[in-house]
Amino acid sequence: MNQFSVPASATRRSPLRVATTLIAASVVAAGAAVALASSADAATTLGASAAASGRYFGAAVAANKLSDSTYVGILNREFNSVTPENEMKIDATEPSQGQFSYTNADRIVSHAKAQGMQVRGHTLAWHSQQPGWMQNMSGTALRNAMLNHVTQVATHYRGQLSAWDVVNEAFADGSSGARRDSNLQRTGNDWIEAAFRAARAADPAAKLCYNDYNTDDWSHAKTQAVYTMVRDFKSRGVPIDCVGFQSHFNSNSPYPSNYRTTLSSFAALGVDVAITELDIEGSGTAQATSYRNVVTDCIAVPRCIGITVWGIRDTDSWRSSGTPLLFDGSGNKKAAYTAALDALNGAPPTNPTTPPTTPPTTPPTSPPTSPPTTPPTGGGCTASVTLNQWNGGFTAAIRVTAGSAAVNGWAVTLTLPSGATVTNTWNAVAGGSSGTVRFANASYNPRIPAGGNTEFGFQGTGTGPSATPSCAAS
Ligand code: XIL
């Protein structure tokens, strides 16, 4: 698994914040999002608030706006990740076949680096925004040109990007669950995995993502089709690390109430999830509520690693008439901004009186509706399993829920069917790999507030557990 650090930018304004970030980065490097909340620490910008739980808050950036001082002022103050809005697309980076052009993309990467921000690369293989020469190609020539493009561009940015959207928008809308027809698709159904393998070879450090829109609603055929592909990739060892949800919402495609289920279900496959192109058309309270819901859902899912909004001011948006962003055309914060920031700061309660030697906690998957009771007195816990089984393997997502008292540590024991082996565990420490296995809390997620919950998961070969797990709290 590739890891990247929380950038320092969002926390660079005080020694306290820098120290907090370093702790957060080291714990993230150990494999999970963390929460290091102190109300004085993370409350004032989107990036700093996201970094307090090991996440990032990013924006799509256009190179030609880097000379706009209002734009750059907001970018540098609020965000700790950037995605080039158009500058890394195929038509921008390879306008003539074999001739690569990185000037504008490099300007964005340089700006981000100078600010300590991370960069999401977008995108290596896509049916849209292809240069004319590629649009006119087909068959083996196109397949080879695509793979060369992936290799060249990923090599140029090797080691510099946190993630790549390797393939963008490869599935059809509607109820078919089919691949989108395109010149790339017509080169053979394996074009997506071929692109991922080429990207991994060229830049082993970048997380490799599949990115799409209209995949937010868990009940939609397109969502299920992408899920099935990712599950298949994971089972066959195709190098995929993350799934991006564009999340362009409007009245035709509103925020779905099962969004958190979508995020956590993909995460249970053993990939990170990210919200990659968020914008929500509307205004006022309704828009703010949708932003709050999206952010709350992300921070409730331990493997939701960050959120990127698709532009800074409403006037910067590709859908500017829908005023879908967090800042108005003058750069003022909108109600949606305050809702997003408040939601980020709701991630997760830590005990401010606890000395720093006590490990930080992970966010509960559903924030408790009331503050944690004090002091924690131990008490019971329960565990439930959501199993994704395929031929020869499975992932299990386990939700650990505290009873009426907070718990300061937990262990879940479950019995695997004969022949099953645990191959990978996240957010817990496995005490074995077959038979009856005890999963103890990781160092960073022992505490669950009364009535709250946390999630861990594991992947395995064979048949996943069907018996009810037991849970012991301390
Ligand atoms: C959009 C850009 O914002 C526009 O400037 C450009 O004209 C078209 O593309 N899905 C994606 C993004 O993955 O690359 C798109 O960005 C928006 C939809």
Side-chain angles (χ1 to χ4, degrees), residues 85-86 89 122 126 129 168-169 211 246 248 277 310 318:
E85 185 173 359
N86 289 296
K89 292 174 181 174
H122 174 80
W126 191 21
Q129 291 183 264
N168 199 32
E169 302 181 349
N211 192 55
Q246 294 186 9
H248 297 293
E277 304 184 14
W310 205 241
W318 71 312

Side-chain angles (χ1 to χ4, degrees), residues 21-312:
T21 298
L22 290 174
I23 298 165
S26 66
V27 179
V28 168
V34 294
L36 288 166
S38 90
S39 51
D41 179 26
T44 57
T45 69
L46 299 166
S49 299
S53 70
R55 297 182 172 85
Y56 62 83
F57 206 101
V61 165
N64 63 9
K65 290 182 179 154
L66 290 174
S67 51
D68 175 332
S69 60
T70 305
Y71 181 90
V72 172
I74 300 170
L75 171 64
N76 293 355
R77 185 186 76 225
E78 296 287 343
F79 297 97
N80 53 10
S81 176
V82 303
T83 305
E85 185 173 359
N86 289 296
E87 293 79 353
M88 287 187 182
K89 292 174 181 174
I90 314 173
D91 58 355
T93 50
E94 196 177 356
S96 304
Q97 187 172 15
Q99 300 203 337
F100 292 85
S101 165
Y102 297 113
T103 309
N104 287 328
D106 284 352
R107 285 175 63 199
I108 295 174
V109 173
S110 298
H111 183 92
K113 274 188 176 172
Q115 294 292 321
M117 302 167 177
Q118 63 186 50
V119 182
R120 296 192 81 258
H122 174 80
T123 178
L124 293 169
W126 191 21
H127 69 277
S128 185
Q129 291 183 264
Q130 291 182 356
W133 63 266
M134 185 179 271
Q135 292 174 29
N136 293 327
M137 289 181 93
S138 63
T140 305
L142 174 60
R143 172 67 69 94
N144 289 337
M146 181 274 284
L147 292 174
N148 183 56
H149 180 85
V150 170
T151 300
Q152 296 293 329
V153 178
T155 299
H156 179 80
Y157 290 108
R158 180 184 178 102
Q160 299 186 71
L161 308 186
S162 57
W164 262 115
D165 290 332
V166 178
V167 171
N168 199 32
E169 302 181 349
F171 280 79
D173 293 313
S175 59
S176 70
R179 294 283 182 86
R180 173 192 296 277
D181 180 49
S182 71
N183 60 346
L184 291 168
Q185 180 61 31
R186 290 191 292 270
T187 70
N189 209 47
D190 63 346
W191 73 276
I192 299 179
E193 62 195 84
F196 274 85
R197 290 197 173 98
R200 178 71 97 225
D203 186 356
K207 292 193 182 201
L208 305 183
C209 305
Y210 176 79
N211 192 55
D212 214 329
Y213 67 95
N214 278 353
T215 49
D216 313 287
D217 189 318
W218 182 238
S219 70
H220 284 180
K222 186 171 173 181
T223 309
Q224 291 299 313
V226 174
Y227 177 84
T228 301
M229 178 188 74
V230 174
R231 186 176 65 188
D232 171 56
F233 280 10
K234 293 299 288 182
S235 73
R236 290 190 295 112
V238 177
I240 184 169
D241 305 308
C242 37
V243 175
F245 298 84
Q246 294 186 9
S247 302
H248 297 293
F249 293 132
N250 55 35
S251 54
N252 292 325
S253 175
Y255 161 82
S257 60
N258 58 20
Y259 191 60
R260 190 183 303 187
T261 299
T262 303
L263 298 177
S264 61
S265 299
F266 274 88
L269 292 176
V271 289
D272 290 339
V273 294
I275 298 161
T276 52
E277 304 184 14
L278 181 62
D279 49 24
I280 306 176
E281 294 184 42
S283 62
T285 306
Q287 182 183 51
T289 299
S290 292
Y291 267 102
R292 181 188 304 276
N293 287 336
V294 168
V295 173
T296 302
D297 287 342
C298 177
I299 64 176
V301 175
R303 291 197 77 159
C304 184
I305 60 173
I307 298 170
T308 300
V309 285
W310 205 241
I312 295 180

Side-chain angles (χ1 to χ4, degrees), residues 205-471:
K207 292 193 182 201
L208 305 183
C209 305
Y210 176 79
N211 192 55
D212 214 329
Y213 67 95
N214 278 353
T215 49
D216 313 287
D217 189 318
W218 182 238
S219 70
H220 284 180
K222 186 171 173 181
T223 309
Q224 291 299 313
V226 174
Y227 177 84
T228 301
M229 178 188 74
V230 174
R231 186 176 65 188
D232 171 56
F233 280 10
K234 293 299 288 182
S235 73
R236 290 190 295 112
V238 177
I240 184 169
D241 305 308
C242 37
V243 175
F245 298 84
Q246 294 186 9
S247 302
H248 297 293
F249 293 132
N250 55 35
S251 54
N252 292 325
S253 175
Y255 161 82
S257 60
N258 58 20
Y259 191 60
R260 190 183 303 187
T261 299
T262 303
L263 298 177
S264 61
S265 299
F266 274 88
L269 292 176
V271 289
D272 290 339
V273 294
I275 298 161
T276 52
E277 304 184 14
L278 181 62
D279 49 24
I280 306 176
E281 294 184 42
S283 62
T285 306
Q287 182 183 51
T289 299
S290 292
Y291 267 102
R292 181 188 304 276
N293 287 336
V294 168
V295 173
T296 302
D297 287 342
C298 177
I299 64 176
V301 175
R303 291 197 77 159
C304 184
I305 60 173
I307 298 170
T308 300
V309 285
W310 205 241
I312 295 180
R313 301 162 300 197
D314 284 335
T315 43
D316 300 317
S317 169
W318 71 312
R319 291 177 168 175
S320 56
S321 64
T323 61
L325 295 172
L326 300 176
F327 296 88
D328 69 18
S330 305
N332 300 309
K333 297 170 181 175
K334 296 166 57 179
Y337 171 94
T338 307
L341 183 65
D342 287 352
L344 287 171
N345 284 333
T350 54
N351 183 348
T353 62
T354 303
T357 51
T358 298
T361 59
T362 49
T365 52
S366 314
T369 51
S370 57
T373 55
T374 54
T377 57
C381 59
T382 56
S384 60
V385 180
T386 304
L387 192 63
N388 285 298
Q389 180 76 53
W390 60 88
N391 191 14
F394 65 89
T395 57
I398 291 87
R399 175 171 291 200
V400 185
T401 304
S404 57
V407 300
N408 280 329
W410 47 266
V412 172
T413 302
L414 47 75
T415 301
L416 297 170
S418 152
T421 304
V422 176
T423 54
N424 182 27
T425 303
W426 53 94
N427 294 339
V429 179
S433 60
S434 61
T436 299
V437 183
R438 182 176 183 272
F439 296 87
N441 60 263
S443 61
Y444 50 82
N445 64 357
R447 190 169 185 277
I448 310 171
N453 60 64
T454 191
E455 282 189 352
F456 73 95
F458 59 95
Q459 185 165 11
T461 54
T463 303
S466 54
T468 305
S470 64
C471 189

